[in-house]
């Protein structure tokens, strides 16, 4: 299905009837990855999932966005569909959007339950080696960006970026690269404990993007939280162990 929010054509799924469950995908992902979860929950719930701007079949934003921009967009999407209360399932980047949405004052909706799958939100501490690498990269970029050196070595900065950048960063367009930088450099740890609804954490114990230590921290900070560990799974635990994850979600949402 397609609708328009702020002049952006949004691709979304709206299936089933009953209590609403909103799905918010991770960075570089899209709603097609949730198909198994949608099929599991839609017989008893109304499941709504959107490709957020810059992902799937929804065009990227007109300029680099931060997490708050995505929050505003999702809130307008909910208003457009006249959704006033819902449960929510998030993966990775979707967790950042949820934490900021939930922390807003006087929000016009109620979040009844939340399931966080390998959620982002806690900024990892950089090692001394990582800090030095970043410092050297910034210094080299400034030097190689001068007119003379850029003329002599036009691809130098781009080559350095490719060597040290993550796959998500290197595969993104310039607008989404700038968006990613804004998104990952914001630590949302102070907001996580504000999630007061019943919360289910589902995590792969081999997740290297958002490690299991993040799940343990979130479980401690969120008052009404429980953790399901998918042993041997990584950052996409819901795809690697679909039976376990879908079963946990079905039991949690009822």
């Amino acid at each position: 299905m397609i609708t328009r929010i702020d002049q952006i054509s949004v691709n979304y799924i709206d299936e089933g009837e009953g209590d609403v469950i909103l799905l918010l995908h991770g960075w570089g992902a899209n709603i097609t990855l949730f198909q198994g979860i949608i099929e599991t929950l839609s017989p008893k719930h109304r499941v709504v999932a959107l490709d957020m701007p810059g992902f799937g079949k929804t065009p990227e934003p007109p300029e680099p966005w931060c997490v708050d921009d995505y929050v505003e967009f999702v809130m307008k999407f909910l208003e457009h569909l006249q959704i006033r209360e819902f449960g929510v399932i998030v993966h990775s980047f979707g967790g950042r959007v949820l934490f900021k949405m939930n922390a807003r004052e006087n929000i016009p909706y109620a979040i009844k339950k939340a399931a966080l799958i390998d959620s982002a939100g806690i900024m990892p501490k950089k090692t001394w080696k990582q800090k030095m690498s970043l410092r050297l990269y910034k210094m080299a970029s400034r030097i190689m960006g001068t007119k003379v050196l850029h003329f002599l070595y036009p691809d130098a900065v781009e080559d350095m970026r490719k060597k040290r950048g993550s796959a998500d960063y290197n595969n993104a367009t310039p607008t989404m690269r700038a968006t990613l930088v804004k998104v990952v450099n914001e630590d949302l740890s102070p907001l996580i404990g504000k999630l007061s609804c019943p919360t289910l954490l589902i995590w792969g114990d081999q997740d290297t993007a958002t490690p299991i230590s993040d799940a343990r921290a979130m479980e401690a900070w969120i008052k009404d939280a429980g953790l399901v560990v998918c042993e041997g799974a990584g950052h996409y635990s819901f795809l690697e162990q679909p039976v376990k994850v879908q079963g946990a979600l079905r039991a949690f949402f009822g």
Side-chain angles (χ1 to χ4, degrees):
M1 305 175 80
I2 300 292
T3 190
R4 291 186 70 82
I5 306 291
D6 287 347
Q7 306 306 311
I8 296 177
S9 296
V10 186
N11 179 55
Y12 72 103
I13 291 172
D14 190 344
E15 295 186 10
E17 296 181 356
D19 295 337
V20 176
I21 298 177
L22 174 69
L23 306 187
L24 298 177
H25 62 74
W27 187 272
N30 57 69
I31 55 179
T32 61
L33 299 184
F34 282 119
Q35 195 57 46
I37 293 175
I38 293 169
E39 291 174 358
T40 295
L41 298 177
S42 57
K44 293 187 177 181
H45 302 272
R46 178 187 173 192
V47 183
V48 177
L50 74 153
D51 283 337
M52 289 188 278
F55 306 100
K57 295 180 181 179
T58 300
E60 64 185 38
E63 59 188 15
W65 276 12
C66 62
V67 180
D68 282 304
D69 294 315
Y70 280 98
V71 170
E72 291 288 345
F73 191 87
V74 172
M75 288 176 63
K76 289 177 182 179
F77 176 77
L78 292 170
E79 179 66 25
H80 179 73
L81 295 185
Q82 298 184 336
I83 295 173
R84 295 288 182 266
E85 62 178 37
F86 55 92
V88 61
I89 299 171
V90 302
H91 173 245
S92 193
F93 167 64
R96 294 181 181 275
V97 178
L98 170 62
F99 296 139
K100 283 226 153 183
M101 281 177 59
N102 179 72
R104 291 283 182 97
E105 294 184 1
N106 303 316
I107 52 179
Y109 47 76
I111 302 173
K112 310 298 287 185
K113 289 185 176 183
L116 314 180
I117 305 175
D118 301 295
S119 175
I122 298 175
M123 183 180 291
K125 293 182 179 179
K126 287 185 174 66
T127 64
W128 178 85
K129 186 177 180 180
Q130 289 172 325
K131 290 179 181 177
M132 287 302 299
S133 175
L134 178 61
R135 199 170 297 169
L136 290 171
Y137 169 72
K138 289 182 176 179
M139 186 183 304
S141 295
R142 285 196 295 269
I143 293 171
M144 298 306 295
T146 59
K147 289 183 178 180
V148 174
L149 289 178
H150 179 70
F151 176 77
L152 294 174
Y153 308 100
D155 299 324
V157 174
E158 181 68 10
D159 290 342
M160 286 189 293
R161 180 191 63 74
K162 287 181 179 179
K163 287 180 180 179
R164 76 176 312 277
S166 66
D168 284 338
Y169 185 83
N170 287 332
N171 293 333
T173 65
T175 295
M176 296 308 292
R177 282 178 195 162
T179 295
L180 180 60
V181 171
K182 287 187 174 186
V183 165
V184 300
N185 285 321
E186 188 170 4
D187 185 12
L188 303 184
S189 298
L191 304 183
I192 294 173
K194 294 185 177 183
L195 197 61
S196 58
C197 63
T199 302
L200 175 65
L201 304 167
I202 300 176
W203 233 269
D205 66 352
Q206 301 302 307
D207 189 340
T208 56
T210 54
I212 190 70
S213 57
D214 287 5
R216 304 287 186 197
M218 291 183 188
E219 185 182 22
W221 295 337
I222 300 171
K223 185 177 181 180
D224 188 3
L227 173 62
V228 172
V229 178
C230 296
E231 296 180 357
H235 190 54
Y236 286 83
S237 58
F238 70 102
L239 295 178
E240 296 174 55
Q241 297 186 11
V243 174
K244 184 172 186 176
V245 172
Q246 291 168 25
L249 292 172
R250 188 188 303 113
F252 180 63
F253 285 103

